[in-house]
Amino acid sequence: MSNVHQNFVQLHQRAGLYVLPNVWDAGGARLVQQLGAVAVGTSSAAMAWSCGYADGGALPDTALLQRVSEIVGVTSLPVTVDIEDGYSDVPDAVAERVLRLVKAGAVGINIEDGAGSPAALVDKITAIRSALGGRPLFINARTDVYLRGLAEGDEAVGMSIDRLQAYARAGADGGFVPGLRALDEAAAVASGVSLPLNLMWLPGMAPFAALSQAGVRRLSAGPALFMHAWTAMAVATTDFLGGVMAMPEGAPGYEALNQLFSDR
């Protein structure tokens, strides 16, 4: 097990919550490392949008691999990659794609059941583990019970637990339940599975300390950082087009930014 992979695994095993910034390019990865992040995740939506594609399986494999290689090349932090549903319904094809990401330096992936059946994701995780042949990879299995509104309340909790337990048996290392907001339901899911629970930040969620006390071990930003960046660029561009451009307070200079990438 590599030190980077081992460090990433240990983040999920320690007490308390760790937050995972989701980036979409090498610049973002270098920035979050500079700001003190302990790991880097990609956002499938943000990466697709930044490459000019809609989210939802449209990002070409070549673009994904290129971006991941660039991100790994500028950070010493563990990098985990969101691969949606694996961009294929064929388990062996998904496994082959994952092997390419591992070769590029990824230590983890997110893979989701989405609109598909839980059995389909079980088959994909099984194929990935088989193809890895014992090589380490943190597989964060995502269920979209809440995100897609497949159930509510206790039924949603039970369905999420059942799915995550099946994914754990297939070889998943973590469980990801985006869309889950309610603190009591998060605690129920966390206590119902052996996998460390990952949630995605959403407006109106409980404070980070409360999420930690409920048993959440990882909190992802999802596309939120991209939305912040998009909004800031929209404001600056509007100002520029209107003839009132000014540098924001605290903006780094050219030399400081360039130095981040000069010593890679």
Side-chain angles (χ1 to χ4, degrees):
M1 181 183 295
S2 71
N3 288 336
V4 176
H5 178 268
Q6 188 174 21
N7 291 342
F8 189 61
V9 171
Q10 290 173 347
L11 290 175
H12 301 79
Q13 296 174 340
R14 69 186 189 184
L17 175 76
Y18 90 89
V19 294
L20 180 72
N22 294 97
V23 304
W24 51 95
D25 62 9
R30 196 67 182 85
L31 174 60
V32 300
Q33 175 170 327
Q34 183 189 40
L35 295 176
V38 293
V40 178
T42 68
S43 159
S44 65
M47 189 175 287
W49 296 333
S50 70
C51 289
Y53 295 88
D55 189 28
L59 184 68
D61 192 44
T62 52
L64 174 67
L65 286 168
Q66 179 67 28
R67 280 291 179 89
V68 171
S69 297
E70 292 168 354
I71 288 169
V72 170
V74 299
T75 180
S76 59
L77 298 176
V79 175
T80 182
V81 180
D82 188 334
I83 62 169
E84 302 188 50
D85 65 353
Y87 301 101
S88 176
D89 294 328
V90 181
D92 287 345
V94 173
E96 289 175 5
R97 177 168 288 109
V98 170
L99 289 182
R100 292 193 289 272
L101 291 171
V102 171
K103 185 177 180 180
V107 302
I109 59 167
N110 284 357
I111 185 166
E112 67 198 47
D113 49 28
S117 71
L121 183 51
V122 166
D123 289 344
K124 291 175 184 180
I125 295 171
T126 300
I128 292 168
R129 283 292 177 216
S130 177
L132 287 168
R135 283 170 289 179
L137 179 72
F138 192 98
I139 299 177
N140 201 36
R142 166 178 149 175
T143 183
D144 284 358
V145 170
Y146 282 87
L147 201 62
R148 293 178 180 269
L150 302 182
E152 296 182 358
D154 291 344
E155 184 182 357
V157 169
M159 186 181 295
S160 298
I161 289 173
D162 288 345
R163 291 187 177 204
L164 294 183
Q165 287 176 336
Y167 304 153
R169 290 191 294 269
D173 301 290
F176 185 20
V177 190
L180 173 53
R181 299 173 190 249
L183 202 58
D184 59 337
E185 295 179 16
V189 174
S191 64
V193 296
S194 59
L195 302 175
L197 179 61
N198 177 194
L199 297 186
M200 182 177 73
W201 180 86
L202 292 168
M205 288 186 80
F208 288 12
L211 293 171
S212 178
Q213 292 174 354
V216 181
R217 289 292 167 262
R218 168 170 152 184
L219 184 67
S220 305
L225 295 177
F226 183 92
M227 293 173 179
H228 272 273
W230 183 278
T231 302
M233 186 170 179
V235 170
T237 302
T238 299
D239 289 346
F240 184 58
L241 293 173
V244 291
M245 184 69 164
M247 277 293 184
E249 183 177 352
Y254 171 88
E255 293 296 337
L257 283 174
N258 201 51
Q259 188 59 42
L260 283 177
F261 305 99
S262 298
D263 56 0
R264 56 177 293 177

